[in-house]
Amino acid sequence: MRIRLLAVLFCVSMPAFYGKAQEIALKTNMLVDVALPTPNLTVEFNVGKKQTLEVMGVLNPFTYRNNKKMKLWAIQPAWRYWFCSPFNGWFVGVHAHTGQFNVGNYRFPFGIFPAAKEHRYQGWMVGGGVSVGYQWALSKHWGLEFEIGGGYTHFDYERFKCAKCGTKEKSDNKGFLGPTKVAISLVYIIK
């Protein structure tokens, strides 16, 4: 009863841009665009009255100035439950992720690979987590979405002596418990 009352309160305050549930949304995470910078695209599909499935993809084949390297690919599928209607208001979700990386001469947040400034890491990752977020309608086709999630990621990697050199120091793996999804996304709704 309380959850239903909260959902009604959240939905009442939403703008009236959405007449019916939308089918598809295209998104880009502006935090990833600016902070890494890494090209990313998310496609989200309506699969029920209050459910959506999304797949986010990230691809960065570039080496930057001073041999700063952030080469990676990753995918992150997710299921979401919307308290109002798809692409409108509050949601909770469950996500998984996997990918490969080759990074060096780079400082990461949250203490992940603290030696990446002086070393190069190459390997793969897999994990998952839960998230919560909110999407605001800006117009009939555009929206802004905020999401934060946490979970676990397993990294299997090789560490090399310097960002440019190729002397292998060790092979290892590492688990990380913490943020697995942080997004401020620009959303385009396809009607």
Side-chain angles (χ1 to χ4, degrees):
M1 179 66 176
R2 289 181 189 172
I3 292 175
R4 181 177 282 244
L5 178 62
L6 288 173
V8 168
L9 290 174
F10 289 132
C11 294
V12 169
S13 66
M14 296 307 302
F17 293 122
Y18 299 109
K20 63 177 188 170
Q22 308 313 311
E23 299 298 324
I24 299 173
L26 301 175
K27 302 185 262 188
T28 185
N29 184 343
M30 296 181 297
L31 290 179
V32 172
D33 291 335
V34 172
L36 290 182
T38 298
N40 69 92
L41 178 67
T42 301
V43 179
E44 188 170 8
F45 300 94
N46 184 353
V47 293
K49 276 184 157 182
K50 295 188 176 224
Q51 299 177 58
T52 58
L53 292 176
E54 74 170 16
V55 177
M56 187 238 349
V58 173
L59 176 64
N60 189 341
F62 309 112
T63 298
Y64 301 104
R65 287 186 303 180
N66 302 324
N67 203 39
K68 187 175 189 177
K69 201 178 297 261
M70 175 55 88
K71 293 185 177 187
L72 65 93
W73 70 264
I75 59 169
Q76 188 173 54
W79 168 85
R80 289 178 167 180
Y81 176 82
W82 296 79
F83 292 102
C84 295
S85 61
F87 313 111
N88 185 17
W90 288 98
F91 61 86
V92 293
V94 177
H95 58 271
H97 51 265
T98 189
Q100 291 180 301
F101 55 90
N102 183 354
V103 298
N105 195 19
Y106 199 88
R107 192 172 311 276
F108 286 94
F110 310 113
I112 303 171
F113 299 121
K117 189 69 179 150
E118 297 83 27
H119 294 85
R120 183 173 64 86
Y121 290 87
Q122 180 176 324
W124 59 272
M125 64 179 179
V126 65
V130 296
S131 63
V132 63
Y134 191 87
Q135 190 173 124
W136 280 275
L138 301 175
S139 71
K140 190 174 184 178
H141 290 282
W142 293 96
L144 190 61
E145 181 178 287
F146 294 83
E147 183 176 17
I148 189 161
Y152 180 79
T153 304
H154 174 82
F155 295 94
D156 193 288
Y157 62 90
E158 295 177 333
R159 186 171 90 174
F160 297 85
K161 187 165 176 87
C162 64
K164 195 171 188 175
C165 304
T167 306
K168 182 175 163 181
E169 284 188 334
K170 69 176 183 174
S171 293
D172 203 355
N173 59 63
K174 177 180 185 173
F176 172 75
L177 185 62
T180 52
K181 195 167 199 177
V182 178
I184 298 175
S185 298
L186 183 61
V187 182
Y188 180 75
I189 311 274
I190 299 175
K191 294 201 175 239

